[in-house]
Amino acid sequence: MMGTERRRIGIIGAGWVSAYHLPAWMRQSKRAEVVAIADPSLSAVEARLAAFDIARSYASAQAMLDAEQLDAVDICAPREFHVELVRLAAAKGLDIICQKPLAPSYGEAIDLLEGLSGRGRLMIHENWRFRAYYRRLKAWIDEELAGEIRQVQFEFLSSGMIADAEGKRPALVRQPFFRTQQRLLVMEVMIHHLDALRYLLGELEVVSARLERSNRDIVAEDVASVVLRRTSDGVLVTVNANLAVHGAPPSPRDHLRIFGSRGTLELNGNLLSAEGAQQRRESFDPDETYQGAYDATIAHFLDSLNGKVAMETSPDDNIKTLALVEDIYRLSRFDPERNPL
């Protein structure tokens, strides 16, 4: 792309997550324009066309890529289509931002990256680390509010997989595709937290992992207990994630505590605090923070294409998060067929 012309963007996938991607693109209207959207679901496309100013729609990514003169694509399709779609867009020489995970498994991601060629740049849309409270927490860590970090504990608890009086599980009402995912909690949700922990703390390795399934309405795990170790100094990071906790809210909240020699840093939902040598408290609006993470991710993608910043969630970086995910599945030896309820 030459000069100051706006980049022409094609959206691939009109599912629920695109409802957060599109407002982020609209906020970048001075330097990017969404000119087309592709999805085999006519109703999904029509919903996006009604809500956003998009000129054209297509029933397939291939049809859109063949018909449009694009500068970049935003892949919002389900994970099982990511490899094929990245290859299609890369073959056209386009810049690509692809929703996490890059591929359904670490091995497939490695194969994809080894086979990619062309001038297009690729970024993985991993937006959790771009949440405002994680950016602030990173600044506090760099400011050494915690001092020397000694322990880290992370919890992500929800009652979303517990059936209500009508037998409905809130998590499955909100995201019905959870029912059939072969890899659920770790690949779909905890992958965000693993990436955020890497962003905050540096590189990690998996020490131990246990995965469980709470109900027969899903085929994969919704309970995880994981111990990680920071490779630079051996600090242990314990992670407990559970979507079937009685008494927890249906919508889970991140609860992260960092215990250090000078203070304790704590993120509890949308409240960030520091205790110890310095005391601080800062609260964040939940809706603004949620959409804001998508806004910041898209802005970062464009900034990196323009050479303003180094791309944080490049394939070389994000593959390290996928490696942690793969190690958790490997070490847990989770197999719902071998462990029926």
Side-chain angles (χ1 to χ4, degrees), residues 133-176:
Y133 43 65
Y134 279 126
R135 306 308 272 197
R136 182 80 78 249
L137 180 54
K138 174 64 170 171
W140 286 7
I141 292 172
D142 292 345
E143 199 180 329
E144 298 191 345
L145 288 190
E148 181 184 349
I149 295 175
R150 291 172 172 159
Q151 288 179 308
V152 180
Q153 295 181 359
F154 180 88
E155 286 187 332
F156 185 77
L157 308 179
S158 160
S159 59
M161 284 293 184
I162 297 176
D164 61 18
E166 298 178 355
K168 296 179 180 179
R169 305 185 192 276
L172 301 182
V173 172
R174 180 172 183 266
Q175 292 173 292

Side-chain angles (χ1 to χ4, degrees), residues 53 231 233 267:
D53 184 19
T231 56
D233 58 10
L267 173 67

